[in-house]
Amino acid sequence: MAIRTRVTELLGVEHPIIQGGMAWTATWELVAAVSKAGGFGVIGAGHMPTDLLRDQIRAAKAATGKPFGVNLMLLTPHIDDIVDMVLAEGVHAVTTGAGNPGKYMEALKAKGIKVLPIAPSVALAKRLESIGADAIIGEGMEAGGHIGDLTTMVLTPQLVDAVDVPVIAAGGIADGRGIAAAFALGAEAVQVGTRFMCADECTIHPSVKQRLLKARDRDTVVTGYTTGHPVRVLKNKLSRQIEQLDRANLPDQIETLGAGKLAACMREGDVEYGSIMAGQCSAMVDRIMPASRIVAEMMAEAEAAMRALAGLVS
Ligand code: TUI
């Protein structure tokens, strides 16, 4: 059994599962494993230096002949260099986050690179469709990292009604029931981040994986509202410090305190004073397993959920 949609066609993949392009987290090892499993792996560029990202792209290409992509984090200061390098190296698709990729759209499309922007609102999605987005990733505020303010449940159907290109649902999807729910809302694929943090092939520090396994339903918090870039993280000493700075309305101090803290968490394993960016569905992740099993299990669950729903109709 397979689920075919416009997104599986667009990306040339077997399964409608796109792996979230998580900074300092989605490195070539995870990306290659997801793509080999029939999903779409995405390298998280974040603030990564351009040379390092080039190495990541080459390593992913060497590890798999399957399609994969790069997430462009548009707030990074050297984003122009990164886009130039991605244009030169070539990848199947880019996802974009934390801004409007309009400036780069023409050049990317001219190279045959599909552009899948992440949009947290209907207005932005419509604008992005009008300038050539190949699909829209609607990311709800259940997601980890930088978020908008709508939930996946309300954002997805509104995007589906507003644009003609396919919609990919993101935020809060960690098992096959979530895939079935997203499809019921009209999505044609899902983006999954947090669940893949506990893939064997994900190279984040083992302490972060253990923290995710322990997470309970109310363990994430959104900090940094005063900076204009709110971020969902697992609660720890750093998140409590940032909450205090939010209450004191000191956004500049939040930016200073937050600098380098995602890498400190994901690479060095500082789960107390590092930034544990992860989604609300952290509580639903209870095993570490190969990426191929995550993909296979989620697809089997999705198919079972869809059949069970069809069985309710008489
Ligand atoms: O980008 C993400 N998630 C991220 S980026 C990131 S790095 C970072 N660290 C600290 C502060 C800020 C960023 C960690 N997690 N998800 C996709 C996403 N994109 N969520 C929200 C948006 C977004 C927001 C505004 C996309 C477009 C947008 O447009 C504003 C405009 O320019 O119209």
Side-chain angles (χ1 to χ4, degrees):
M1 243 308 275
I3 300 176
R4 302 240 168 272
T5 69
R6 286 186 291 170
V7 176
T8 58
E9 287 300 307
L10 179 74
L11 297 177
V13 293
E14 191 181 344
H15 302 303
I17 298 179
I18 296 168
Q19 167 247 308
M22 303 166 282
W24 297 120
T25 300
T27 57
W28 71 267
E29 296 90 337
L30 176 64
V31 171
V34 170
S35 287
K36 276 188 205 167
F40 192 74
V42 178
I43 298 169
H47 291 304
M48 193 183 280
T50 308
D51 288 345
L52 202 56
L53 183 61
R54 183 186 296 107
D55 293 344
Q56 290 281 320
I57 292 172
R58 290 183 180 177
K61 275 188 188 161
T64 176
K66 296 278 185 74
F68 70 90
V70 173
N71 174 265
L72 304 172
M73 209 285 280
L74 297 169
L75 284 174
T76 207
H78 60 295
I79 184 67
D80 287 354
D81 284 348
I82 289 202
V83 174
D84 285 345
M85 182 275 290
V86 168
L87 288 168
E89 292 295 312
V91 292
H92 205 81
V94 297
T95 63
T96 69
N100 185 333
K103 183 178 164 192
Y104 308 110
M105 190 75 85
E106 217 175 88
L108 289 162
K109 290 182 66 90
K111 286 270 180 191
I113 299 175
K114 312 282 184 227
V115 184
L116 288 66
I118 298 180
S121 69
V122 171
L124 182 62
K126 283 180 159 175
R127 269 207 305 281
L128 294 166
E129 176 182 49
S130 75
I131 58 169
D134 292 287
I136 298 291
I137 304 175
E139 190 176 275
M141 54 85 83
E142 296 94 323
H146 175 42
I147 53 171
D149 45 22
L150 297 176
T151 60
T152 305
M153 181 74 117
V154 299
L155 178 60
T156 309
Q158 292 187 73
L159 292 177
V160 168
D161 289 346
V163 298
D164 292 325
V165 292
V167 171
I168 296 153
I173 301 166
D175 63 22
R177 294 171 299 183
I179 298 178
F183 273 64
L185 297 173
E188 294 183 53
V190 296
Q191 178 188 270
V192 174
T194 302
R195 176 90 190 259
F196 282 119
M197 294 173 74
C198 280
D200 282 326
E201 298 88 347
C202 182
T203 57
I204 58 172
H205 196 284
S207 303
V208 184
K209 294 187 183 179
Q210 290 306 316
R211 179 68 190 83
L212 278 163
L213 297 181
K214 280 199 238 115
R216 293 163 60 132
D217 56 350
R218 302 179 64 241
D219 278 0
T220 70
V221 62
V222 181
T223 59
Y225 276 115
T226 57
T227 67
H229 299 115
V231 168
R232 183 180 298 285
V233 293
L234 279 169
K235 292 175 188 171
N236 64 3
K237 295 204 167 82
L238 176 68
S239 72
R240 281 184 275 278
Q241 288 176 343
I242 295 180
E243 278 181 298
Q244 279 182 359
L245 294 172
D246 263 329
R247 278 194 290 274
N249 195 19
L250 294 167
D252 294 348
Q253 288 193 33
I254 295 178
E255 304 279 13
T256 309
L257 183 64
K261 293 299 199 298
L262 181 61
C265 170
M266 302 302 172
R267 308 317 307 169
E268 288 149 41
D270 187 348
V271 291
E272 280 309 334
Y273 291 99
S275 179
I276 320 175
M277 293 188 191
Q280 285 188 326
C281 62
S282 295
M284 295 161 68
V285 180
D286 54 13
R287 283 158 304 154
I288 298 171
M289 58 172 80
S292 60
R293 267 192 61 204
I294 295 177
V295 171
E297 189 176 289
M298 288 184 75
M299 288 310 301
E301 287 168 357
E303 286 165 19
M306 289 181 193
R307 287 186 203 286
L309 289 177
L312 292 175
V313 182
S314 57

